[in-house]
Amino acid sequence: MQGHGSGRTADIRFRVAGILLLVAQLAFIGWVSLRPLTAPWVTAGNLEPLASIRGDLEIGFAEAARRIGRELLLYAPLGVLFPLVGGRIDAHRLASLVRTVLASALISCLVELAQGSIAGQVVDVDTVLINTAGVALAHLAVVPAVRGHLRRRAGRAHPPAPAREDAASGLTPTLPRVGIAP
């Protein structure tokens, strides 16, 4: 069990797998987002929320859906991997969502800030918003169901122990009734 919270924790194999997958996903995000791009010109950075989303929608719905979908899906696995690494089966739903979304938003902000110093990359606040929304959607779609399944499975594997009477607690011991002899 973890010392900083109450409740059961996941099997260590799940947590190790989560760490490995998390590192792989973060490496993939870095590779996709932080490599230099050759372009004859780049647009100015966007620090106005929802401006680039409106611009994408003006181009056309199909192009906007492709761009927004790409950004939603890039960070979405973090919505499942962060809780998996944490390993808490009995975590509070809202607290888990908030922790996951804030950690992912921080990572997205750091990646966007790093993009400002890379050739061909542009800082865009809408990317942070879309990435964070993707994490939240993935978390809400997967994590509560998986945790519920794990809790039910753990409950079947280890049924609760019957309550025992403890003489030290002041309970009076009871004796089974004996029938009258003939």
Side-chain angles (χ1 to χ4, degrees), residues 31-39 118-121:
W31 178 75
V32 167
S33 303
L34 299 177
R35 54 189 175 150
L37 300 175
T38 56
I118 296 174
Q121 297 284 358

Side-chain angles (χ1 to χ4, degrees), residues 2 4 8-12 14-19 21-22 75-104 134-148 150-151:
Q2 296 177 352
H4 62 287
R8 296 171 292 180
T9 59
D11 189 0
I12 190 72
F14 288 118
R15 296 181 76 181
V16 170
I19 290 170
L21 290 171
L22 179 63
Y75 279 70
L78 297 180
V80 176
L81 293 174
F82 278 135
L84 181 62
V85 169
R88 296 184 200 137
I89 295 173
D90 291 331
H92 189 270
R93 289 181 184 189
L94 182 61
S96 175
L97 177 66
V98 168
R99 275 191 306 268
T100 302
V101 167
L102 288 178
S104 300
V135 168
L137 290 172
H139 183 89
L140 290 171
V142 175
V143 173
V146 170
R147 281 187 174 150
L150 290 173
R151 280 192 299 268

Side-chain angles (χ1 to χ4, degrees), residues 48-179:
E48 180 186 340
L50 306 178
S52 65
I53 294 173
R54 281 192 301 266
D56 288 343
L57 289 172
E58 288 174 5
I59 293 172
F61 180 76
E63 181 65 20
R66 186 185 67 76
R67 290 182 183 183
I68 292 170
R70 182 181 62 221
E71 295 298 330
L72 276 172
L73 294 176
L74 181 61
Y75 279 70
L78 297 180
V80 176
L81 293 174
F82 278 135
L84 181 62
V85 169
R88 296 184 200 137
I89 295 173
D90 291 331
H92 189 270
R93 289 181 184 189
L94 182 61
S96 175
L97 177 66
V98 168
R99 275 191 306 268
T100 302
V101 167
L102 288 178
S104 300
L106 178 64
I107 290 171
S108 183
C109 284
L110 291 173
V111 168
E112 284 299 312
L113 289 175
Q115 280 182 340
S117 63
I118 296 174
Q121 297 284 358
V122 179
V123 175
D124 187 0
V125 70
D126 290 341
T127 302
V128 175
L129 297 174
I130 295 170
N131 291 341
T132 305
V135 168
L137 290 172
H139 183 89
L140 290 171
V142 175
V143 173
V146 170
R147 281 187 174 150
H149 173 72
L150 290 173
R151 280 192 299 268
R152 285 189 301 275
R153 191 176 81 180
R156 285 191 305 261
H158 303 289
R164 61 174 206 183
E165 295 180 5
D166 192 1
S169 66
L171 297 175
T172 305
T174 58
L175 299 172
R177 292 195 161 239
V178 179

